[in-house]
Amino acid sequence: MLKRVLIANRGEIARRIARTCARLDIEYVCVYSTADARADHLAGAFATVHLGGASAVESYLDIDKLVDAAVREGCDAVHPGYGFLSENAVFAERAREAGLVFIGPAPQTIRSMGDKATARALMAAAGVPVLPGSAKATESLGTLVADAREVGYPVILKPTAGGGGKGMRVVHREADLPEAAAEAVRLGRAAFGDGRVLVERYVPAPRHIEVQVFGDTHGNVVHLYERDCSLQRRHQKIVEEAPATGLDPRARQAMQEAAVRGASALDYVNAGTFEFIVGENGEFFFLEVNTRLQVEHPVTEEVTGLDLVEWQLRVAAGEPLPLAQDAITCSGHAVECRVYAEDPAAGFQPSPGHALLVHWPATLRVEAAFDTAGTASEHYDPMVAKLVAHAPDRATALRMLSAGLKATSVLGLTTNIGFLTRLLDEPKVLTGHTDTHLVDGLVLAERDTHLDRALACVAAMAAVPARGGGSPWLGGLGPVDRTALDPDAPLGRVTTQHAGVPRRATVLARSGTAVTVQVDGRRHLVTAVPEQGRWTGRVADTTWSGLRDGDRHELCVGGERFAFTDHVREGRSGGPLDHQVRATLPGVVVALPRAQGDRVEAGDTVLVIEAMKMEHRLPAPVPGRIVSLGCAEGDQVSAGQVLAELLPEETPAGAEDAAGASVPHNETDRT
C-alpha cells in the first residue's frame, strides 16, 4: 500500500480523499493557495505546502509546484481529486517522470478521452453507440455548416477539449450557426487552449445517465452500476441519484455492458465514468468519459457500500480490484445535491463570500469544504458542499434529503439551498420524470413569501434576548416604540432595511420563546431560541436561524439567505446609474461583442466576463448607444467596476459629452 500521498486539490475534494487516507493509515500532504491559508482541508495533514497566489493558475494549476512539493515532502503518490488537473495528461506524465504514482488512468488514456473527437472514434470502434456527428473537430465554419447539414438540425456544438458543458451551444437553424460557432471556438480557446468544435445531433429532453467503471493493472474491468444526473442547470449537475429510476432493464444492462466494453478497449486503469444521454424512446448514446473520480461518487458508494477512494489507492498501488463483478451489489437508493455559493434569483450567478456560521444536518452524509464557518472564494468553483441521503427506496431517500436541506443553515453566504428544497418538492422530480432541461424551465418562486417571514424573525430576535442579556430590546433594532399602559398596544415596532428598502414589523405578543409578529397586516407566529449568539426556530412551517453581525442581521429562512441592516435610508437606495454596465463580481473580460458607438437594446449583451469557472453576460440596462468602454479583452475587473457607459435613447441631444464624461475613454480603475 502507498505510504504518503500528496492531495493536489482543495476544499471538500481534499477533505474527502484525506478521510480515506487517514482510515488506511496513509500519510497525506495538503497544498494551499494564499486564499486558502486557513482552509479546513489543511487540518490533520502530515505536511502542508503553500503553492502561491490566490488564483488557480498561480497555485492549484501549477504542475511544477505540485510535483516539486510531492517530491520534497517524500510522497510516493499524488491524488489529483476532481477538477483542476485531474484530467490533465501532462500532469500525469510529469508525476510519473518524477517517480510518483499518479492515482488515475494512464496519461495516454486521459489524453485520448480528453479529445471528444478521438473519444468518439475509439468508442465507435469498440461498439459503443455514438451520436451522428462530425468525423473530425474543426474551427472551420464551412466544415461545421456542412457537418450540420448532414446531421440535420437541431445540432449541438461541442468544444472538443471541453467538459462540464462549457462552450456547448444548441443551434436550431443554419442562420444561427455562425454566431454560435464563433462563440464556441472562442470559449474553447480561452478555457482549454483548443478552439476546435464538433457537431452532433441534438437530442431534445434527454436523460443524463452515467456508469461508474473501475479497471486495474491485471486486466480486470468492472462497473459499479449507474447514476442519473439529469437535474442540471446550464449543463452543470445539481442533483444526482443511484440507481437511475424508471430505466428499462434491458437498456440499463446494455449501458453497463457498453461502459465495460469501452473501458476494456482502452485498457482502462483506476476510476472512470462513462456518460450517456438517453432519448425519450430509451435509445442511448455515448457522451464522454471522465477519467477521474466524479463529484457524485458518494451516491455510488452509498448503494454499493464501497469506498471508491480506497479502490483508487489500492489499484494505484498495483493491487487487483477488491471485488469481481458478480460480488458487487446495489442496495437501496441514494440521492445527492450540490450546495453552491450562488444566487438562483440572479440566474444562478456565483456569490462568493464568507459563511459566518454553518449548521449541516446530522441525518445526512455531508461532504463539505468547511464545518462551522468558511469562505467561498471568488477564485474557484462555487460548490461548497454535497448532501447525500441513502434509504431503502427512492421516495424515502428524497424525503430524507429534503428534510436535511430544510434543517441546514448557512448564515452570511448566499447559497442555492432554498432552491434545492423547492426543486425536490417538484412533482416531476418526485415521480422521476426528469431530463436535462427540466430545471431551466421551472419557476420555483417562493422567496418573496420568505422575506416577510424573515422580517418577522428579525423582530423576534429583537424581542427574545441572547442568553445573558437583560431587557428584551437590548441589541434590538431601532427605533423601538413601547407603550406600557395600554394592554392591547404592541410590545414594540422594529424598523430595518432590506436591499435598500425600509421594512417595518410590529411585535404584538411574546411568551417565552414564542413571539407574535405582524408584517404588512399579516401575523406570524415565530419561535426564537437563542444559543451561543445564534437564534433558531420556526416561522409557520419553515425552519430559520439568524445571528447579528455588527449592524447587520443575517438570516437563513427556508434555505434562503436574507440580510437586514440597522441603518435605514428613506427613498432611493443609491444603486448603479441606469446607463452604466458594471461587473457583477470579480473576473476576467473574455469577450466584447459590442464596440463603442454601437446601438443596443435593453438586455443585449455588452460584454462577457468569466468568474468562478463560469461565463457571465452583462446586458445593457436600457436601449441606447455605447459611448464608452472601460475595459479590453483579458482585463481583470473588480465587482462593481464600471465597464461600459450608454447614452440612453431618451437623453436630449447634446448630452453625449456629459454622459461619457464619468468614465474616461483612456483610463479606468482596473484590477
Side-chain angles (χ1 to χ4, degrees):
M1 178 54 79
L2 303 171
K3 301 298 183 183
R4 187 177 300 164
V5 174
L6 180 129
I7 303 174
N9 221 296
R10 63 179 296 278
E12 67 92 8
I13 305 168
R15 298 185 81 194
R16 167 66 191 93
I17 298 164
R19 188 170 69 245
T20 294
C21 287
R23 183 173 62 79
L24 298 175
D25 292 324
I26 298 173
E27 295 174 342
Y28 59 91
V29 175
C30 287
V31 294
Y32 65 96
S33 68
T34 300
D36 283 339
R38 297 186 178 182
D40 284 11
H41 76 261
L42 304 178
F46 171 81
T48 60
V49 179
H50 179 222
L51 295 175
S55 73
V57 172
E58 298 174 282
S59 52
Y60 301 108
L61 293 177
D62 193 315
I63 294 174
D64 290 337
K65 290 179 180 178
L66 289 165
V67 173
D68 289 347
V71 173
R72 189 170 64 251
E73 296 298 333
C75 297
D76 49 4
V78 57
H79 196 308
Y82 32 97
F84 288 138
L85 294 170
S86 62
E87 294 180 281
N88 188 295
V90 175
F91 183 39
E93 287 171 339
R94 290 288 307 281
R96 290 186 171 195
E97 290 168 0
L100 300 165
V101 174
F102 180 80
I103 302 174
Q108 61 267 28
T109 303
I110 298 173
R111 184 170 285 110
S112 61
M113 292 300 99
D115 184 298
K116 286 184 171 59
T118 302
R120 273 175 53 87
L122 289 172
M123 290 303 101
V128 178
V130 299
L131 282 164
S134 303
K136 293 183 179 180
T138 181
E139 291 188 20
S140 166
L141 177 59
T143 303
L144 293 173
V145 169
D147 288 347
R149 286 175 180 171
E150 183 175 346
V151 171
Y153 288 91
V155 298
I156 186 166
L157 305 181
K158 296 180 178 179
T160 187
K166 202 165 192 177
M168 295 198 308
R169 297 292 180 266
V170 177
V171 183
H172 292 274
R173 55 183 189 144
E174 188 168 304
D176 298 329
L177 187 64
E179 183 178 352
E183 192 171 16
V185 168
R186 186 199 75 244
L187 199 148
R189 288 175 180 170
F192 314 114
D194 187 344
R196 293 176 303 140
V197 174
L198 283 170
V199 173
E200 285 185 346
R201 179 204 293 171
Y202 176 65
V203 179
R207 294 178 69 184
H208 182 123
I209 309 293
E210 59 189 33
V211 178
Q212 177 74 61
V213 299
F214 248 97
D216 62 23
T217 56
H218 304 274
N220 302 307
V221 178
V222 298
H223 72 78
L224 285 78
Y225 301 95
E226 80 288 338
R227 302 181 285 254
D228 189 329
C229 305
S230 299
L231 287 173
Q232 306 176 6
R233 51 102 177 96
R234 292 195 311 246
H235 303 293
Q236 294 287 327
K237 304 166 188 173
I238 51 177
V239 176
E240 302 100 350
E241 57 184 302
T245 187
L247 196 62
D248 181 271
R250 290 170 298 179
R252 188 191 308 272
Q253 182 177 349
M255 212 177 304
Q256 294 167 353
E257 292 174 349
V260 171
R261 192 163 58 248
S264 298
L266 295 170
D267 294 324
Y268 200 93
V269 174
N270 219 277
T273 302
F274 275 68
E275 301 198 346
F276 300 93
I277 57 172
V278 181
E280 293 177 298
N281 61 357
E283 193 176 14
F284 68 90
F285 300 96
F286 170 78
L287 189 62
E288 64 181 350
V289 176
N290 286 300
T291 54
R292 53 174 167 80
L293 196 65
Q294 292 279 90
V295 175
E296 57 271 23
H297 77 274
V299 294
T300 295
E301 293 184 324
E302 291 297 317
V303 297
T304 60
L306 303 173
D307 183 333
L308 299 195
V309 176
E310 179 179 348
W311 276 44
Q312 284 192 294
L313 295 169
R314 293 192 180 282
V315 167
E319 297 181 21
L321 292 176
L323 294 174
Q325 186 68 72
D326 58 4
I328 302 170
T329 59
C330 180
S331 176
H333 201 94
V335 189
E336 169 186 290
C337 64
R338 305 187 187 191
V339 177
Y340 288 97
E342 65 183 14
D343 187 357
F348 298 99
Q349 176 177 290
S351 298
H354 185 71
L356 299 167
L357 188 62
V358 178
H359 174 75
W360 301 114
T363 55
L364 301 178
R365 172 175 172 174
V366 177
E367 304 281 353
F370 40 76
D371 293 329
T372 57
T375 299
S377 173
E378 65 199 45
H379 300 285
Y380 315 118
D381 186 277
M383 190 178 75
V384 296
K386 302 175 301 192
L387 306 183
V388 190
H390 180 233
D393 57 80
R394 183 175 187 270
T396 305
L398 284 171
R399 285 196 299 271
M400 284 180 59
L401 184 57
S402 179
L405 278 167
K406 291 171 183 175
T408 301
S409 172
V410 179
L411 297 171
L413 183 68
T414 300
T415 71
N416 65 333
I417 291 174
F419 174 84
L420 289 170
T421 61
R422 299 193 297 277
L423 178 62
L424 293 181
D425 289 336
E426 167 64 25
K428 288 186 177 181
V429 174
L430 293 173
T431 58
H433 292 88
T434 61
D435 61 63
T436 58
H437 304 308
L438 176 64
V439 173
D440 294 332
L442 288 178
V443 178
L444 303 173
E446 284 188 9
R447 195 174 191 279
D448 289 344
T449 63
H450 286 332
L451 175 57
D452 284 353
R453 293 174 180 174
L455 180 58
C457 295
V458 171
M461 290 168 66
V464 178
R467 289 183 179 174
S471 163
W473 295 103
L474 283 179
L477 300 177
V480 174
D481 218 357
R482 300 204 57 199
T483 308
L485 298 178
D486 184 354
D488 295 323
L491 293 180
R493 295 185 179 90
V494 172
T495 302
T496 182
Q497 181 172 273
H498 175 266
V501 179
R503 299 297 303 266
R504 295 174 179 82
T506 302
V507 177
L508 299 176
R510 175 197 166 199
S511 176
T513 60
V515 184
T516 302
V517 182
Q518 182 169 295
V519 177
D520 291 337
R522 293 191 61 186
R523 293 192 178 194
H524 302 269
L525 179 61
V526 184
T527 57
V529 180
E531 185 174 1
Q532 298 179 340
R534 179 174 75 119
W535 283 260
T536 60
R538 296 185 68 84
V539 52
D541 59 348
T542 305
T543 59
W544 73 277
S545 62
L547 57 77
R548 187 176 177 92
D549 179 35
D551 68 345
R552 293 165 61 85
H553 278 64
E554 285 281 348
L555 289 95
C556 183
V557 182
E560 304 281 5
R561 178 201 178 191
F562 297 91
F564 295 84
T565 179
D566 291 2
H567 180 60
V568 176
R569 247 190 246 129
E570 298 288 347
R572 237 186 120 132
S573 61
L577 296 175
D578 63 4
H579 60 277
Q580 293 178 338
V581 179
R582 295 174 178 254
T584 51
L585 65 165
V588 178
V589 178
V590 295
L592 290 166
R594 305 286 180 170
Q596 187 170 315
D598 285 358
R599 186 192 174 283
V600 292
E601 296 288 348
D604 286 352
T605 299
V606 177
L607 46 82
V608 182
I609 64 173
E610 183 175 337
M612 297 185 84
K613 296 176 67 176
M614 297 183 189
E615 281 198 349
H616 307 273
R617 299 166 181 267
L618 302 186
V622 293
R625 188 157 55 87
I626 300 173
V627 294
S628 172
L629 279 173
C631 60
E633 284 190 27
D635 282 357
Q636 290 274 351
V637 297
S638 56
Q641 181 178 335
V642 177
L643 304 180
E645 188 128 359
L646 306 181
L647 176 67
E649 285 187 336
E650 63 272 20
T651 301
E656 179 175 348
D657 292 340
S662 62
V663 182
H665 289 232
N666 60 347
E667 192 68 37
T668 58
D669 176 25
R670 294 179 183 169
T671 59

